[in-house]
Amino acid sequence: MALRYGAEFGASVFVGIMMGLGIDHFFATEPWGLLIMMCFGIAAGILGVIRAYKELTDAANPAMSPDKTGSNPEE
Amino acid sequence: MNLFFYGAADPMKQFEVQKWFELPPLFGYDISFTNAAGFMLLGVVLCIAFFGYAASRGKIVPNRLQSMGEIGYGFVADMIRGTAGEEGLRFFPFVFTLFFFILFANVIGMSPYAFTTTSHLIVTGLLALLVISIVIVFGLWKNGLKFFGLFAPSLGDMHILGKLVIYAILIPIEIISFIARPLTLALRLFANMLAGHILLKLFAGFAVTGITAGGIGLLVAPLAFGMGVALNALEFLVAGLQAYVFAILTCVYLNDALHPSH
């Protein structure tokens, strides 16, 4: 499972860096695009790890998450 | 002698794509039939044969194969109900196919001399792209522009300025984590299969070279062999678990397409 969290974090940071480099390339804003998007990427990575943990615990015991049982029409 | 064993113990050799027979190029692309294509085809054929047999004679009291098929059906159906709700069952054929394709590919890869198709990033990447395209296309088709509400979770009552500040931070984060999804989906399956198979080959290689080297190698060989046996069991667990994780994450992402506001 550790690999799962690592992949989640790493991929988010990677996507952030790639987006930052892309922004810098097209708008000539070096290095601000990279810096800012990398921060967002790291934040997204942390969010992703928290979500991965929640998804797995929900999947292991669906009784713990009443909002995802499907019987909730207003969702 | 040494060369032979070094060749056999090269842990990366098992991942080489080899052409089984040549085919004429199509639109300038080489479409020769490779071992990757062959083992994927084998997985599909075994899958069809298994479920074809399991479903062919629907007895009230099922025999072993039929009940295995029924357990597989119930397992995937429960997984979709638990994560995406009753509505998610319209994706049952897709998730079912995905789960059993990956499971068969992983388990076939565990048999000696077999090629593990899921240990190649191109295969898992394509599967992940397929999943995420279905999520985007279906989400846009069903919810229209409301699908983009996925990137802007509702904040409740708040001052407009505060909302603006939070969205300025939150929306880029949500977009990045959405783009990272197919990446992690592909990367996880690929990395697990690759790492597991390299480890298996390494420990098996230690055992062989330990015996041929003699001396202290004779002490190392049984340890490496025992480790290989233990890892083999672990790899069977990983084969099933990774197919399950791939399928359940597909369900979670499909749930976002069905109900984008969270």
Side-chain angles (χ1 to χ4, degrees), chain B residues 32-111:
Chain B
S32 297
F33 196 80
T34 59
N35 52 354
F39 277 101
M40 263 186 266
L41 200 64
L42 178 69
V44 171
V45 167
L46 280 180
C47 227
I48 292 172
F50 172 60
F51 283 105
Y53 180 80
S56 62
R57 47 192 95 178
K59 288 184 192 144
I60 296 177
V61 181
N63 58 10
R64 282 185 203 131
L65 264 177
Q66 192 190 334
S67 54
M68 269 170 80
E70 282 173 6
I71 289 168
Y73 176 93
F75 179 70
V76 177
D78 283 344
M79 182 162 70
I80 298 173
R81 275 199 207 97
T83 49
E86 286 293 330
E87 275 178 81
L89 281 180
R90 72 162 75 186
F91 288 109
F92 177 80
F94 174 59
V95 179
F96 189 80
T97 313
L98 208 56
F99 176 70
F100 278 98
F101 177 71
I102 296 172
L103 184 67
F104 272 70
N106 289 354
V107 174
I108 288 170
M110 285 306 297
S111 50

Side-chain angles (χ1 to χ4, degrees), chain A residues 47-64:
Chain A
L47 191 71
V49 170
I50 295 169
R51 278 199 189 136
Y53 173 73
K54 269 192 191 153
E55 272 160 17
L56 281 187
T57 41
D58 283 358
N61 37 340
M64 297 283 281

Side-chain angles (χ1 to χ4, degrees), chain A residues 1 3-4 7-9 11-16 19 37 40-41 43-44 47-48 51 55-56 59-60 62 65 68-70 75, chain B residues 81-83 85-86 168-169 172-177 179-180 183-184 187-188 191-192 241-242 244-245 248-249 252 255 259 262:
Chain A
M1 280 303 101
L3 199 59
R4 153 118 223 245
E8 199 83 38
F9 188 77
S12 292
V13 176
F14 178 76
V15 169
M19 281 173 85
M37 290 316 278
F40 280 134
L47 191 71
R51 278 199 189 136
E55 272 160 17
L56 281 187
S65 62
K68 279 190 179 170
T69 45
E75 205 183 18
Chain B
R81 275 199 207 97
T83 49
E86 286 293 330
I169 300 171
I173 292 176
E174 291 286 344
I175 290 174
I176 289 175
S177 70
I179 297 173
L183 224 66
T184 53
L187 211 63
R188 190 175 315 114
N192 267 297
L241 194 70
Q242 287 306 316
Y244 170 70
V245 167
I248 203 156
L249 282 173
V252 170
N255 181 48
H259 322 106
H262 53 164

Side-chain angles (χ1 to χ4, degrees), chain B residues 124-219:
Chain B
T124 59
L126 213 62
L127 289 175
L129 271 184
L130 179 70
V131 168
I132 221 74
S133 334
I134 284 180
V135 167
I136 291 172
V137 170
F138 180 77
L140 282 175
W141 174 72
K142 183 166 179 286
N143 305 298
L145 287 179
K146 262 194 234 161
F147 177 65
F148 293 109
L150 191 66
F151 300 128
S154 59
L155 296 172
D157 289 331
M158 198 185 269
H159 191 266
I160 184 79
L161 214 65
K163 263 189 184 175
L164 227 60
V165 170
I166 290 180
Y167 276 147
I169 300 171
L170 211 54
I171 289 175
I173 292 176
E174 291 286 344
I175 290 174
I176 289 175
S177 70
F178 187 82
I179 297 173
R181 276 174 178 188
L183 224 66
T184 53
L185 203 58
L187 211 63
R188 190 175 315 114
L189 179 59
F190 153 73
N192 267 297
M193 299 322 287
L194 185 81
H197 282 262
I198 289 176
L199 267 183
L200 272 183
K201 200 76 166 197
L202 269 181
F203 278 104
F206 280 162
V208 173
T209 41
I211 289 172
T212 48
I216 203 159
L218 289 174
L219 283 172

